[in-house]
Amino acid sequence: MAPAKTIILRFESKDGQFRLNVTPSDAFTSFLPQILDYLPKTTDSSTLTLSNKPFGGEERLLSSLKGITVERVGLKHGDKLYVKYNDQPPINGHSTAPKATNLQPQNSSNKLNGLPVLPTEDLPIALPLQTSPTVTVKNPWEVVQQSPLDDRLDKQDGKIPRPRDPKMCRHGPKGMCDYCMPLEPYAPEYMADKKIKHLSFHSHLRKINSATNKPELKSSYMPPLSEPYYRVKRDCPSGHPPWPEGICTKCQPSAITLQPQPFRMVDHVEFASPNLINTLLDYWRKSGAQRLGFLYGRYEEYAEVPLGIKAVVEAIYEPPQLDEVDGCTLHEWENEKDVDEIARLCGLQKIGVIFTDLVDAGAGDGTVVCKRHIDSYYLSSLEIAFSARLQAQNPKPTKWSDTGRFGSDFVTCVLSGDEDGGIAISAFQASNSAVEMMRADIVEPSADPSVMLVRAEEEDDGSQSRTRYIPEVFYRRINEYGASVQENAKPSFPVEYLLVTLTHGFPKESSAIFHTSDFTIENRAMIGESQELKDVAKKLGVHGGQVDAERG
């Protein structure tokens, strides 16, 4: 019987390349001892995977290929496979690597400035929320569960109807031409005519999708949305040590060019009743200190904007906080999950945050100082950072993104003085770039509220940061000659590039689900108001004696 023909298979891992002599009838699991001979001793054999591509290919655990032969898979002489694996975890919290002395570091890798990475440097304190932008969802349009509102808007065409133009149309009443055909929801002429500053999210989605997926080309479908990612990519296929020991052009973030965001995730904020605002303002009127509350409500369609979304506020919950004249500090909110569950049972969810920024004008007529205007700021850098963190904690699930999420529907509202001395509401959202820059620890608030600072790669003590990589940041502006120029954002740049404005208002006919708002407000012990059982009994119309009799 003739001996089986021997072929060569090539393998590549992050530690190098090697080749094995095998026969077509050999099973993949029989390669395990030979593969481990070429890998470090700390390799966890249970995590060993094989792939046909360095990244983006089909990965299979070697242990799951029991009984599968080389011939069955279709591999030929000289074919190449890519090996991926994880290291074994340290035992009892200690690494098995030899201890390094002061004269010899644990590794010889250098930073970008040429200095070695010493083992005495601190490890990252907090890991990023996302591990890598390449962690995508396969077929997100099949597995991601959107909100019912997004599903309804997806089914609408969003076309803007136009009447027949008696001057330009030359056809009959049932005909159609370029002058009367419906417009797309993102038509710039309609946006300019209605003075709509930002596209709605679903209008932006239609615009991007029409450019990404063209049915006439009969190409495979690709999710049109992709979130910005400004951090060093994990698991770089180049094979070098992970950041900060190593970095290359494949894993380092590109330069950032900031531009005003052309769309917004929510178009309008509607307060179900004016009593919601008055109740929050009562705290400032009684104490002179600022106040913060979380908005609970729901999202609905907004007909004033093509494919628009509005946030309807039904209640405001004031969490534990320390209020001062110039701001407030949030304390630990122990019953947050309980409040969220009660809101869910009422058909509501947490949709935003609102806070006051009021200073009495001293005129004795109730007027306040106008601090936020076109020559100062509308949302300070500290408030944008706060809003961006909340939006990062409340991502929006969508089947149109390769990661299964895109942006956030969380809104931020401010009660402050207007130019007439009255109290006005302003609604904002941090841009998607602002949220990612906060995640990547690229920016930090400034003492000047109108500008945001770009952080340095060095820590406060001058040492190189192990958790922060700062790419080049630029922004575009119109100079005094009317030309669009690009400026370096370091050390600071205007906050206007990190926020989008929303409209707000009240319904013409109130249909609030809560009919009264005169119950004692929570967490107001500072001004002598506290919630007690007698308040509940009074609200329910139960007499104290009857309650005692029932208990007896």
Side-chain angles (χ1 to χ4, degrees):
M1 182 176 180
K5 180 181 179 181
T6 302
I7 62 174
I8 294 177
L9 291 183
R10 298 179 297 157
F11 296 84
E12 180 177 336
S13 70
K14 59 183 179 181
D15 294 291
Q17 300 184 11
F18 58 93
R19 61 178 65 184
L20 297 179
N21 294 323
V22 301
T23 61
S25 59
D26 288 343
F28 280 94
T29 52
S30 63
F31 304 159
L32 180 60
Q34 302 176 60
I35 293 177
L36 291 177
D37 291 340
Y38 292 94
L39 300 180
K41 296 181 179 180
T42 58
T43 301
D44 187 355
S45 59
S46 62
T47 63
L48 205 64
T49 60
L50 298 179
S51 176
N52 59 340
K53 295 181 181 180
F55 56 93
E58 295 184 3
E59 298 182 4
R60 298 290 178 88
L61 280 172
L62 185 60
S63 58
S64 67
L65 299 176
K66 187 176 181 180
I68 306 299
T69 62
V70 175
E71 185 179 19
R72 180 177 175 182
V73 175
L75 294 178
K76 302 177 182 178
H77 179 72
D79 285 349
K80 190 173 186 179
L81 296 175
Y82 296 87
V83 182
K84 298 182 181 180
Y85 60 88
N86 296 330
D87 294 330
Q88 294 179 354
I91 302 176
N92 296 331
H94 300 282
S95 174
T96 57
K99 293 183 178 179
T101 63
N102 294 334
L103 297 179
Q104 181 173 350
Q106 190 171 356
N107 56 66
S108 59
S109 301
N110 295 335
K111 301 177 183 177
L112 296 179
N113 57 7
L115 297 177
V117 179
L118 300 179
T120 57
E121 292 183 333
D122 294 334
L123 293 175
I125 297 175
L127 294 176
L129 295 179
Q130 289 176 248
T131 56
S132 173
T134 58
V135 182
T136 57
V137 179
K138 186 177 182 180
N139 298 339
W141 55 90
E142 297 178 354
V143 297
V144 175
Q145 184 176 0
Q146 297 186 140
S147 66
L149 173 61
D150 287 326
D151 290 334
R152 290 197 304 270
L153 291 174
D154 285 343
K155 296 176 182 179
Q156 299 179 11
D157 60 1
K159 300 283 188 179
I160 304 170
R162 290 190 297 174
R164 181 175 179 274
D165 191 336
K167 295 182 179 180
M168 305 300 297
C169 295
R170 297 290 184 263
H171 52 76
K174 295 185 178 181
M176 183 181 295
C177 65
D178 291 341
Y179 298 101
C180 62
M181 66 182 297
L183 296 175
E184 294 291 343
Y186 48 83
E189 57 269 27
Y190 180 83
M191 302 291 290
D193 181 55
K194 298 297 183 180
K195 297 182 180 180
I196 301 174
K197 187 176 180 181
H198 300 280
L199 288 173
S200 66
F201 166 67
H202 282 269
S203 296
H204 172 72
L205 175 59
R206 303 292 172 87
K207 181 178 180 181
I208 298 298
N209 192 40
S210 63
T212 304
N213 299 293
K214 297 181 178 180
E216 61 271 13
L217 298 180
K218 298 182 179 181
S219 58
S220 59
Y221 175 79
M222 294 188 300
L225 299 178
S226 179
E227 284 195 311
Y229 194 87
Y230 301 149
R231 285 162 281 171
V232 178
K233 297 179 182 178
R234 304 288 182 180
D235 304 325
C236 181
S238 299
H240 58 73
W243 165 262
E245 285 81 5
I247 196 171
C248 68
T249 56
K250 293 182 179 179
C251 59
Q252 71 179 19
S254 303
I256 304 171
T257 301
L258 295 175
Q259 293 182 348
Q261 184 169 289
F263 65 94
R264 54 193 177 192
M265 306 300 295
V266 176
D267 302 282
H268 184 76
V269 180
E270 180 181 287
F271 293 89
S273 172
N275 291 332
L276 295 171
I277 303 300
N278 292 329
T279 303
L280 187 66
L281 289 176
D282 283 341
Y283 187 92
W284 172 76
R285 296 187 180 109
K286 295 176 181 179
S287 66
Q290 310 304 328
R291 193 65 171 169
L292 179 143
F294 284 98
L295 307 176
Y296 282 86
R298 61 187 180 276
Y299 298 103
E300 296 180 354
E301 295 183 33
Y302 184 53
E304 302 299 324
V305 175
L307 301 176
I309 296 176
K310 68 177 178 180
V312 181
V313 181
E314 294 284 359
I316 298 177
Y317 187 91
E318 302 173 10
Q321 56 192 284
L322 174 63
D323 302 314
E324 301 179 14
V325 177
D326 58 347
C328 55
T329 303
L330 294 180
H331 292 168
E332 184 178 358
W333 188 1
E334 297 179 353
N335 64 335
E336 180 178 5
K337 293 183 179 180
D338 297 333
V339 175
D340 290 344
E341 176 62 17
I342 294 175
R344 186 189 66 82
L345 296 175
C346 297
L348 307 177
Q349 66 182 102
K350 191 185 299 175
I351 61 175
V353 66
I354 186 171
F355 55 86
T356 63
D357 182 22
L358 299 167
V359 178
D360 187 77
D365 55 357
T367 57
V368 295
V369 177
C370 178
K371 299 168 57 177
R372 301 165 186 259
H373 49 81
I374 192 172
D375 295 324
S376 61
Y377 64 94
Y378 290 105
L379 206 63
S380 70
S381 56
L382 180 62
E383 294 162 353
I384 289 178
F386 176 66
S387 179
R389 292 184 183 276
L390 291 177
Q391 290 180 209
Q393 297 171 8
N394 297 272
K396 178 186 180 71
T398 175
K399 64 183 181 182
W400 301 98
S401 173
D402 52 2
T403 57
R405 59 185 177 272
F406 186 80
S408 173
D409 288 338
F410 206 83
V411 300
T412 300
C413 298
V414 186
L415 294 172
S416 187
D418 58 15
E419 296 180 355
D420 299 327
I423 299 176
I425 307 172
S426 300
F428 304 93
Q429 275 192 309
S431 66
N432 291 358
S433 296
V435 174
E436 177 56 26
M437 293 179 82
M438 290 303 302
R439 281 200 187 110
D441 204 17
I442 295 177
V443 295
E444 61 181 341
S446 168
D448 183 355
S450 63
V451 298
M452 185 75 79
L453 296 177
V454 179
R455 302 193 65 157
E457 290 191 5
E458 294 78 16
E459 300 289 358
D460 295 337
D461 57 359
S463 62
Q464 194 78 6
S465 173
R466 293 178 61 90
T467 62
R468 185 168 59 245
Y469 178 85
I470 308 298
E472 292 293 330
V473 184
F474 304 94
Y475 68 95
R476 303 198 68 87
R477 68 176 184 89
I478 305 299
N479 63 7
E480 61 272 17
Y481 304 106
S484 177
V485 296
Q486 182 170 281
E487 299 282 352
N488 194 332
K490 296 182 180 179
S492 63
F493 61 93
V495 296
E496 286 77 14
Y497 291 88
L498 301 180
L499 61 89
V500 292
T501 58
L502 317 179
T503 59
H504 65 276
F506 299 91
K508 296 180 179 179
E509 296 182 2
S510 178
S511 59
I513 62 175
F514 300 111
H515 301 294
T516 61
S517 59
D518 55 353
F519 189 76
T520 307
I521 305 300
E522 65 279 349
N523 301 314
R524 288 195 173 186
M526 179 180 175
I527 59 175
E529 299 178 5
S530 59
Q531 293 179 334
E532 300 179 3
L533 290 177
K534 63 179 182 180
D535 298 325
V536 180
K538 181 180 179 181
K539 194 65 180 175
L540 296 177
V542 180
H543 191 269
Q546 294 178 353
V547 174
D548 294 339
E550 292 175 1
R551 292 178 180 176

